[in-house]
Amino acid sequence: HFIQDWEMKTACLQTSYFPQDHTGEHIAEALQDAIASWKLQEKYLVAITTNNGINIVKAVELNEWLRMQCFGHRLHLAIGECSVVRSIQIFYFNQKHIKNVS
């Protein structure tokens, strides 16, 4: 995603058939292949933005690249955690209230 003339744009650079297991090693190799197919020089790679999947994190580490966590994924995880914590708080309050009443 990117902003151009104050308008959100989206572009897909590449999709690939990936029949292998999605291990860090296989993903690291596939990312190297993608860079080569775009004729990009790795020395100009500043960072890669990813989710927190352990296989993705490992792939980036294996390639010795700088990884930036995606803000959208982090926000989604935080909201999910807040929802779980709030549900637990409500459940606990309801259980405590029921015990005090009986």
Side-chain angles (χ1 to χ4, degrees), residues 68-97:
M68 304 293 293
Q69 296 179 12
C70 174
F71 176 75
H73 283 100
R74 297 285 298 196
L75 181 60
H76 176 77
L77 292 173
I79 291 169
E81 275 297 311
C82 290
S83 298
V84 169
V85 169
R86 182 71 180 142
S87 297
I88 291 169
Q89 288 173 339
I90 291 169
F91 176 78
Y92 177 74
F93 174 79
N94 288 339
Q95 293 301 312
K96 186 177 178 183
H97 180 69

Side-chain angles (χ1 to χ4, degrees), residues 20 38 61 81 97:
Q20 305 94 324
W38 300 330
E61 287 173 355
E81 275 297 311
H97 180 69

